[in-house]
Amino acid sequence: MSRTPSAAGVEAAWAAIPEVFRGTPQFVAERLTRSLGVRTLVKVETVNPIRSFKGRGATWFTARRGAEVGPRDRGRGVGWVTGSAGNFGQGLAWAARRAGIPLTVFSAVAANPDKVAAMRALGAEVRLEGADFDAAKDAARAHADETGAAFVEDGREPEITEGAGTIALECLEHPDPGDVAVIPVGNGALIGGMSLWIRHRRPETTIVGVVAAGAPVMRRAWETGDPSPSREAPATCADGIAVREPVPAAVALMREVVDDVVVVGEPALRDAVRLLHETLGLVIEPAGAAGIAALIEHRERFRDRRVFTPLCGGNADPALL
């Protein structure tokens, strides 16, 4: 990371991100609130070309860093390489195609086939390697070293974190966003960026991250400051937050701005997907529904609080649905 993400960067990102990814719906979900017993404002990040929030950070990264890929490299097909479970790969593919930058994405062998197909449809070369997302990311690093392409890592690049932070910028424009932000934790860009802006504009807000019980390493890293990989492979339906190897820069930022991190089990994640479909008519993938899963599993903790949470991905595995 050449610099650290900042609130000023979040503001600059919002002005540069294409309108198709900005101004997403947000509202107090009354049926959901009644079901949970918790006043819940949702920020719907699935109504865009890639059905997730990742377009925000990817387009800001491209606006700031795209010029680093020169005409000669583009002509040789050398541009960017990344590892992704699918949503970030789609965001970067959308932005790279728009900028004329070649992109190779490495995903796990068992990656969601719909996400893989979507990345390819957006112009990315997709290679399936490794048993999980972090193994695929290792393959992406090796490919970058071999070819001279630039390795782009979600959670490490400050622009990606700042782009994700624009979600909070919009949330806090609501007349009463709430007093607790409940945010899924994957590689850390989403919670880091949102928390940066919340601390800047509404520091009294309590910020709670959510990890899956089958992929809890980011909670341990946040508690201890130790970003070493987990010894166990992730085991969760929430592929978007199935992290095994924390990004040190993201952990460091989380430790500065996040109040707590809670763990949710597979039943709560699945129940959250069902509940959002029943009450809002939305198909939200488990990682994108992790905030709602926290309200289900830790209901008493949030009772009588006013919560806001992003529904940050709608690319659910067809088998899960």
Side-chain angles (χ1 to χ4, degrees), residues 97-185:
R97 182 179 67 177
R98 191 167 176 252
I101 298 171
L103 173 67
T104 302
V105 181
F106 283 76
S107 295
V109 171
N112 178 337
D114 283 0
K115 292 182 179 181
V116 172
M119 290 187 286
R120 287 175 172 153
L122 288 165
E125 177 186 353
V126 182
R127 302 188 183 188
L128 304 182
E129 292 192 25
D132 62 22
F133 159 68
D134 285 296
K137 194 160 67 169
D138 289 341
R141 286 193 189 94
H143 180 76
D145 290 341
E146 292 169 5
T147 63
F151 176 61
V152 181
E153 186 173 17
D154 188 11
R156 179 175 67 97
E157 315 297 346
E159 293 85 2
I160 295 168
T161 298
E162 290 165 345
T166 62
I167 297 172
L169 185 152
E170 293 176 8
C171 284
L172 297 191
E173 290 176 347
H174 189 275
D176 182 15
D179 58 358
V180 182
V182 182
I183 305 170
V185 181

Side-chain angles (χ1 to χ4, degrees), residues 76-282:
R76 295 189 301 124
V78 177
W80 290 334
V81 60
T82 192
S84 174
N87 284 349
F88 177 67
Q90 288 181 64
L92 197 59
W94 192 94
R97 182 179 67 177
R98 191 167 176 252
I101 298 171
L103 173 67
T104 302
V105 181
F106 283 76
S107 295
V109 171
N112 178 337
D114 283 0
K115 292 182 179 181
V116 172
M119 290 187 286
R120 287 175 172 153
L122 288 165
E125 177 186 353
V126 182
R127 302 188 183 188
L128 304 182
E129 292 192 25
D132 62 22
F133 159 68
D134 285 296
K137 194 160 67 169
D138 289 341
R141 286 193 189 94
H143 180 76
D145 290 341
E146 292 169 5
T147 63
F151 176 61
V152 181
E153 186 173 17
D154 188 11
R156 179 175 67 97
E157 315 297 346
E159 293 85 2
I160 295 168
T161 298
E162 290 165 345
T166 62
I167 297 172
L169 185 152
E170 293 176 8
C171 284
L172 297 191
E173 290 176 347
H174 189 275
D176 182 15
D179 58 358
V180 182
V182 182
I183 305 170
V185 181
N187 273 331
L190 176 63
I191 193 167
M194 288 188 66
S195 299
L196 266 176
W197 187 260
I198 293 166
R199 290 286 174 247
H200 173 63
R201 293 301 298 266
R202 201 179 177 104
E204 68 275 16
T205 302
T206 301
I207 300 172
V208 179
V210 187
V211 300
V217 69
M218 287 295 284
R219 183 175 192 271
R220 185 260 290 163
W222 169 79
E223 285 181 326
T224 66
D226 177 8
S228 60
S230 171
R231 296 179 181 178
E232 298 181 358
T236 176
C237 64
D239 62 333
I241 57 173
V243 174
R244 176 171 53 83
E245 185 172 347
V247 176
V251 172
L253 178 57
M254 278 182 63
R255 285 172 60 81
E256 291 180 13
V257 294
V258 174
D259 294 302
D260 197 5
V261 178
V262 299
V263 178
V264 295
E266 296 299 289
L269 286 164
R270 293 171 186 270
D271 286 347
V273 172
R274 291 190 191 97
L275 184 60
L276 287 166
H277 186 258
E278 291 169 1
T279 61
L280 301 181
L282 296 174

